[in-house]
């Protein structure tokens, strides 16, 4: 069956579409061989389009291709340190369906909105009247992307405060941290909802200092659930008759501000380890090398286009997470499952209609079925 895939919550003026493929690149995972590097734990995987050097000791990778560019290497971080060989698939939906969306479980912190994704895409924040069209520059957006760091949950001093608000949640043993660089404008606008007045109010404009942005996610079977909000990972899927048939989605979250940093906390109380039902048990998981093989042609297209057009493309991280695959019938009834997915994080800076903007999105590979979900300014034909 042929599908059309669109990005959910797209805000850029470019219409970004793609086609979903099942076993799109089966057999293209490449030949693994040991590197000549003296470092232990380094492997090189040769695909038809490029070579992937994986440094398991330092949790990094590098993409090299003489055909694309003899002088350029694309480097990124492996966020998943220990990939399981098997995992369960669970019956679950990405929505908590809470009747109290503005309830704040962390009393000493503010429940806020911060337009992390808009800023990373070079857009202007919605509520910021004072700053007009001021945006993050390309250099500042690159700085945010390059700042991505994996830290241990135990190393976050504020984690006990977060845990106090979610005492029954099993959180991942690691946290992602992005850092937004200092600015002297009002674009770092933090708002909170005034329930009594039924309006958004400006809580703070952070100026002249960096903001640490932490992503704290719950965990199932040791695998974190969800993708950071600033990376687009929610896809609406339509069939050839434009019927809405599927949604690939991360899960709900809340943002908190303690006066210094921002905390994006993912939690779905309806889908905890104690409450969800196993749908498929002990399914084989694609290795990182095989997952990259599924999207190798797309990565090659991105990098080739970047070199030809002068765009700046970053394949800056790879991670294994649980994401919901929700299927709809003709009566709009739905059934959701949590599948493990390999997520390839992509950031692309480019000029459009005289504006310097960005895409911040993901290439998704279902680690159980091998299905590929791709967004970008290209199409995948199955």
């Amino acid at each position: 069956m042929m599908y059309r895939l669109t990005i959910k919550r797209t805000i850029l003026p470019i219409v970004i579409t793609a086609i979903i493929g099942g076993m799109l690149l089966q057999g293209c995972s490449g030949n693994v061989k040991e590197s000549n590097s003296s470092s232990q734990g380094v492997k090189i995987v040769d695909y038809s389009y490029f070579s992937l050097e994986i440094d398991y000791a330092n949790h990094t990778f590098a993409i090299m291709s003489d055909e694309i560019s003899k002088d350029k290497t694309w480097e990124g971080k492996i966020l998943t340190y220990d990939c399981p060989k098997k995992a369960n698939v669970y019956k679950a939906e990405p929505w908590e369906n809470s009747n109290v969306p503005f309830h704040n479980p962390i009393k000493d912190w503010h429940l806020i909105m911060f337009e992390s994704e808009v800023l990373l895409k070079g857009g202007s924040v919605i509520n910021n009247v004072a700053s007009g069209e001021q945006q993050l520059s390309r250099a500042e957006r690159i700085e945010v992307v390059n700042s991505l760091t994996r830290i241990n949950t135990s190393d976050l001093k504020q984690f006990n405060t977060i845990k106090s608000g979610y005492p029954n949640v099993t959180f991942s043993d690691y946290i992602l941290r992005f850092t937004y660089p200092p600015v002297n404008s009002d674009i770092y606008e933090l708002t909170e909802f005034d329930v009594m007045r039924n309006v958004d109010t400006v809580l703070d404009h952070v100026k002249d200092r960096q903001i640490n942005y932490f992503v704290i996610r719950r965990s199932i079977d040791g695998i974190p659930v969800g993708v950071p909000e600033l990376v687009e990972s929610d896809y609406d899927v339509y069939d050839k008759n434009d019927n809405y048939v599927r949604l690939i989605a991360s899960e709900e979250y809340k943002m908190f501000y303690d006066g210094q940093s921002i905390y994006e906390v993912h939690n779905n109380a309806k889908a905890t380890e104690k409450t969800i039902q196993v749908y498929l048990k002990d399914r084989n998981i694609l290795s990182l090398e095989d997952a990259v093989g599924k999207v190798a042609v797309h990565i090659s297209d991105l990098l080739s286009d970047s070199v030809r057009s002068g765009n700046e493309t970053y394949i800056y991280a790879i991670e294994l997470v649980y994401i919901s695959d929700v299927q709809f019938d003709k009566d709009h009834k739905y059934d959701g499952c949590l599948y493990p997915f390999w997520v390839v994080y992509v950031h692309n800076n480019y000029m459009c209609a005289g504006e310097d903007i960005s895409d911040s999105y993901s290439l998704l590979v279902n680690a159980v079925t091998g299905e590929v979900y791709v967004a970008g300014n290209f199409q995948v034909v199955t």
Side-chain angles (χ1 to χ4, degrees):
M1 179 176 290
M2 192 73 73
Y3 293 97
R4 177 166 57 84
L5 190 66
T6 61
I7 296 181
K8 190 171 182 286
R9 301 193 314 272
T10 298
I11 59 173
L12 294 179
I14 297 178
V15 178
I16 302 175
T17 61
I19 305 296
I20 177 176
M23 303 302 288
L24 178 65
L25 296 173
Q26 187 175 18
C28 295
S29 58
N31 299 313
V32 179
K33 65 180 182 181
E34 295 293 335
S35 168
N36 292 326
S37 171
S38 59
S39 302
Q40 290 185 342
V42 176
K43 287 184 178 179
I44 293 180
V45 187
D46 290 324
Y47 303 96
S48 300
Y49 312 97
F50 55 80
S51 293
L52 179 73
E53 183 178 279
I54 304 174
D55 187 339
Y56 286 106
N58 293 305
H59 312 294
T60 59
F61 65 87
I63 297 172
M64 299 157 288
S65 173
D66 287 344
E67 293 183 6
I68 299 174
S69 175
K70 294 182 178 180
D71 303 317
K72 191 170 181 60
T73 300
W74 292 267
E75 299 178 345
K77 300 169 183 176
I78 301 173
L79 302 175
T80 300
Y81 288 2
D82 299 305
C83 175
K85 293 184 178 180
K86 294 181 179 292
N88 295 331
V89 177
Y90 293 95
K91 284 284 187 183
E93 301 161 7
W95 312 288
E96 187 175 359
N97 293 330
S98 173
N99 293 322
V100 284
F102 300 109
H103 168 67
N104 185 353
I106 305 178
K107 296 181 179 179
D108 294 333
W109 292 1
H110 292 274
L111 185 64
I112 66 158
M113 182 180 74
F114 175 72
E115 297 186 66
S116 56
E117 181 187 4
V118 175
L119 289 166
L120 196 57
K121 288 184 174 182
S124 298
V125 294
I126 296 172
N127 296 317
N128 191 349
V129 178
S131 66
E133 294 300 317
Q134 294 183 20
Q135 305 166 340
L136 283 182
S137 67
R138 178 176 292 203
E140 289 167 334
R141 298 194 300 268
I142 294 172
E143 192 170 340
V144 175
V145 169
N146 288 338
S147 73
L148 173 58
T149 305
R150 169 182 157 145
I151 63 174
N152 294 330
T153 301
S154 58
D155 291 336
L156 182 67
K157 294 180 180 179
Q158 295 83 353
F159 181 69
N160 286 335
T161 301
I162 296 170
K163 185 65 178 175
S164 68
Y166 297 92
N168 299 319
V169 174
T170 300
F171 284 103
S172 174
D173 60 359
Y174 71 90
I175 290 167
L176 301 183
R177 181 185 66 204
F178 294 85
T179 301
Y180 284 78
V183 296
N184 55 18
S185 68
D186 288 332
I187 61 174
Y188 291 162
E189 181 176 271
L190 282 62
T191 63
E192 61 180 343
F193 185 74
D194 188 323
V195 178
M196 298 298 294
R197 296 167 55 199
N198 196 32
V199 295
D200 288 327
T201 60
V202 176
L203 174 67
D204 195 3
H205 285 118
V206 179
K207 295 183 180 181
D208 301 320
R209 71 172 179 87
Q210 68 181 28
I211 307 177
N212 283 326
Y213 185 101
F214 296 97
V215 182
I216 300 98
R217 298 166 293 180
R218 66 190 183 90
S219 173
I220 296 178
D221 297 339
I223 300 173
V225 184
V227 177
E229 166 63 13
L230 51 80
V231 179
E232 183 59 69
S233 61
D234 290 5
Y235 301 132
D236 293 327
V237 184
Y238 298 84
D239 65 16
K240 62 182 179 180
N241 297 319
D242 281 341
N243 296 313
Y244 184 47
V245 295
R246 208 166 182 178
L247 170 67
I248 310 301
S250 190
E251 68 176 10
E252 293 180 343
Y253 65 91
K254 289 185 175 180
M255 278 189 192
F256 300 94
Y257 181 58
D258 65 354
Q260 286 295 123
S261 301
I262 297 172
Y263 306 85
E264 177 188 306
V265 181
H266 291 238
N267 174 53
N268 185 347
K270 290 180 62 178
T272 66
E273 285 182 299
K274 295 181 180 180
T275 61
I276 58 177
Q277 174 187 351
V278 175
Y279 175 61
L280 300 172
K281 188 174 179 60
D282 292 336
R283 296 293 155 150
N284 292 329
I285 296 297
L286 285 174
S287 67
L288 182 152
E289 297 95 325
D290 288 340
V292 172
K294 296 290 183 181
V295 289
V297 65
H298 314 308
I299 292 175
S300 177
D301 285 347
L302 279 171
L303 300 182
S304 297
D305 181 68
S306 174
V307 171
R308 290 194 305 267
S309 65
N311 297 345
E312 289 182 338
T313 299
Y314 297 82
I315 312 292
Y316 64 95
I318 299 176
E319 183 179 29
L320 182 71
V321 303
Y322 270 112
I323 299 177
S324 292
D325 184 341
V326 185
Q327 301 196 38
F328 297 82
D329 63 19
K330 61 181 180 180
D331 297 321
H332 303 292
K333 295 180 180 179
Y334 56 83
D335 190 19
C337 288
L338 272 175
Y339 277 90
F341 277 80
W342 282 104
V343 182
V344 180
Y345 292 83
V346 179
H347 183 82
N348 186 28
N349 293 313
Y350 58 95
M351 298 298 298
C352 179
E355 292 189 38
D356 187 3
I357 57 178
S358 305
D359 291 332
S360 178
Y361 62 93
S362 55
L363 310 180
L364 302 180
V365 180
N366 188 312
V368 171
T369 68
E371 287 181 316
V372 175
Y373 303 81
V374 179
N377 56 353
F378 53 89
Q379 291 188 335
V380 184
V381 180
T382 63

